[in-house]
């Protein structure tokens, strides 16, 4: 990409990739926000503690 090229030139490629592959950046942002909220709740003592299942023998 040339530094002087308009940003709009990239949009059709990005939009077609989103249609083909999904919006991974948006999905990652949503998961990060959910995780941040859960950690804030846990650190404030408001989230239930989830225990990992014990291994079956």
């Amino acid at each position: 990409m040339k530094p002087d090229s308009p940003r709009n030139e990239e949009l059709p490629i990005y939009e077609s990739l989103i249609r083909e592959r999904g919006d991974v950046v948006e999905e990652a942002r949503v998961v990060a926000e959910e995780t941040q909220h859960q950690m804030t709740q846990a650190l404030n003592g408001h989230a239930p503690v989830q225990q990992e299942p014990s291994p079956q023998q």
Side-chain angles (χ1 to χ4, degrees), residues 1-2 5-17:
M1 183 174 106
K2 295 182 243 171
S5 66
R7 183 148 168 79
N8 290 343
E9 288 180 9
E10 297 177 48
L11 294 179
I13 294 170
Y14 184 70
E15 289 174 359
S16 68
L17 286 173

Side-chain angles (χ1 to χ4, degrees), residues 39-50:
M39 293 307 298
T40 300
Q41 294 295 315
L43 291 171
N44 289 331
H46 298 294
V49 177
Q50 295 181 354

Side-chain angles (χ1 to χ4, degrees), residues 24-56:
V24 177
V25 174
E26 174 65 15
E27 292 172 19
R29 184 189 62 76
V30 169
V31 171
E33 288 177 354
E34 290 173 358
T35 302
Q36 184 177 21
H37 176 73
Q38 290 172 357
M39 293 307 298
T40 300
Q41 294 295 315
L43 291 171
N44 289 331
H46 298 294
V49 177
Q50 295 181 354
Q51 298 179 356
E52 293 184 28
S54 59
Q56 302 279 331

Side-chain angles (χ1 to χ4, degrees), residues 3-4 21:
D4 59 343
R21 307 284 179 154

